[in-house]
Amino acid sequence: MKGQNPLQPGKPSSKMFTLGLVGAWYSSNIGVLLLNKYLLSNYGFRFPIFLTMCHMTACSLLSYVAIAWMKIVPMQTIRSRIQFVKIAALSAIFCASVVSGNVSLRYLPVSFNQAIGATTPFFTAVFAYIMTVKREAWLTYVTLIPVVAGVIIASGGEPSFHLFGFLMCIAATAARALKSVLQGILLSSEGEKLNSMNLLLYMAPIAVVLLLPATLLMEPNVLGITVAQARHDVKVVWYLLFNSSLAYFVNLTNFLVTKHTSALTLQVLGNAKGAVAVVVSILLFRNPVSVVGMLGYSITVFGVILYSEVKKRSK
């Protein structure tokens, strides 16, 4: 029939398209995580701040290409200096989250990193209460108990536990939750709301500006070392280019999956993605795991699922 959308819900082509998006989302998310771990821990590229700056540079360039040239989404403009300051604040927190997460990967296995990252709902609930004084139903807070308890158990049973790496991962998780809460508060008015792709378009260049002096100060010889390493092994250049591009596609596929599925589906897929990342990382890096550690991670994931279910029913 004329005028019929080939991607209407329920059509086989629509289902295949959505499955393809989910597959791309999983691949990019798990791929960038594992490649970060390989570069920072196994390959010997010990520069998490510079690596994050590479990610943000790629996000800046590719976001502009996707929005200004390819018209994936309409371009939204910054309408005031106040809105710019709000976006800059979110960018600083975003930087702190990504840098802390990359630093933690130098010291922790991906499996334990993902277990800690699963506690994001706990930090989101805490920050939401502190900043908005908005109380959730008591049952919502009860479901956060296994979320935290699971990580405590996993920490006690983690053979590769590293205190500094653990603290960095906690900081990354807390910063990620803080950004989420602040984004809802700061960009809540209709005139200031930006979709995730446009927000990334403006946040990424600000992040590069913030990360450049941090890189020069804390990793002063990174360019010279990287050039020397590239002369010895040119693969490092391709690793960085691919890894940085993949970091952008994490954001792109997350936006597209959100657009083409429901919020509940996204939560379920997100929980499963963490479990898949854990299994793949253990098979790939062969890091030691314990029964207690896996039990703790399972309890955390169970708590996150309960939390999502209670939140859905309370709406």
Side-chain angles (χ1 to χ4, degrees):
M1 291 176 64
K2 287 186 178 181
Q4 191 174 41
N5 185 348
L7 295 182
Q8 282 181 329
K11 295 289 183 181
S13 56
S14 175
K15 290 179 180 179
M16 290 303 296
F17 179 72
T18 303
L19 284 173
L21 281 179
V22 172
W25 183 50
Y26 267 48
S27 300
S28 58
N29 267 272
I30 296 172
V32 78
L33 181 67
L34 297 179
L35 193 49
N36 282 349
K37 174 63 179 176
Y38 175 73
L39 283 169
L40 295 167
S41 188
N42 296 64
Y43 190 73
F45 189 82
R46 316 271 184 202
F47 306 107
I49 302 175
F50 178 71
L51 182 63
T52 305
M53 192 176 76
C54 290
H55 288 180
M56 293 300 101
T57 302
C59 286
S60 302
L61 297 172
L62 293 175
S63 290
Y64 186 79
V65 170
I67 296 174
W69 292 359
M70 298 177 67
K71 312 289 185 186
I72 289 180
V73 293
M75 181 173 284
Q76 297 170 292
T77 57
I78 296 178
R79 300 187 179 186
S80 67
R81 184 178 296 179
I82 294 174
Q83 187 184 15
F84 174 78
V85 171
K86 291 176 179 179
I87 292 171
L90 290 174
S91 183
I93 297 168
F94 182 59
C95 282
S97 172
V98 179
V99 170
S100 300
N102 284 340
V103 170
S104 75
L105 284 172
R106 280 190 58 185
Y107 304 98
L108 299 178
V110 173
S111 52
F112 190 42
N113 179 282
Q114 288 294 287
I116 299 169
T119 61
T120 301
F122 168 76
F123 289 102
T124 302
V126 170
F127 287 129
Y129 178 74
I130 292 172
M131 294 178 180
T132 66
V133 199
K134 179 185 174 183
R135 293 191 178 186
E136 300 283 354
W138 67 271
L139 193 57
T140 304
Y141 294 114
V142 170
T143 61
L144 293 173
I145 295 173
V147 172
V148 177
V151 168
I152 294 171
I153 293 169
S155 301
E158 175 54 50
S160 306
F161 182 83
H162 190 283
L163 181 59
F164 180 70
F166 174 77
L167 293 175
M168 284 294 98
C169 198
I170 288 287
T173 306
R176 189 161 55 244
L178 178 60
K179 175 190 167 288
S180 175
V181 173
L182 276 179
Q183 185 174 326
I185 297 170
L186 297 180
L187 302 178
S188 58
S189 68
E190 285 302 319
E192 291 183 331
K193 280 183 181 177
L194 297 172
N195 63 50
S196 61
M197 297 307 298
N198 274 274
L199 185 59
L200 182 65
L201 173 68
Y202 295 116
M203 278 176 43
I206 297 171
V208 174
V209 173
L210 294 173
L211 289 167
L212 181 58
T215 302
L216 294 174
L217 183 66
M218 301 177 71
E219 300 171 347
N221 301 318
V222 61
L223 285 177
I225 294 172
T226 304
V227 170
Q229 196 169 2
R231 286 174 180 168
H232 175 70
D233 183 6
V234 74
K235 284 190 295 185
V236 69
V237 176
W238 296 111
Y239 282 145
L240 288 174
L241 286 173
F242 180 66
N243 183 245
S244 300
S245 301
L246 208 56
Y248 169 72
F249 283 104
V250 168
N251 293 281
L252 176 62
T253 53
N254 184 74
F255 171 78
L256 293 173
V257 169
T258 305
K259 183 179 178 182
H260 289 274
T261 64
S262 66
L264 177 60
T265 302
L266 193 69
Q267 286 177 341
V268 173
L269 291 172
N271 294 334
K273 176 175 61 65
V276 172
V278 167
V279 173
V280 173
S281 70
I282 291 171
L283 293 175
L284 192 62
F285 296 111
R286 302 193 180 281
N287 55 279
V289 291
S290 66
V291 174
V292 174
M294 292 309 295
L295 174 64
Y297 178 68
S298 300
I299 291 171
T300 294
V301 172
F302 178 68
V304 172
I305 293 170
L306 284 179
Y307 173 82
S308 302
E309 184 65 22
V310 170
K311 285 280 287 182
K312 182 188 74 171
R313 292 188 179 186
S314 66
K315 289 180 180 179

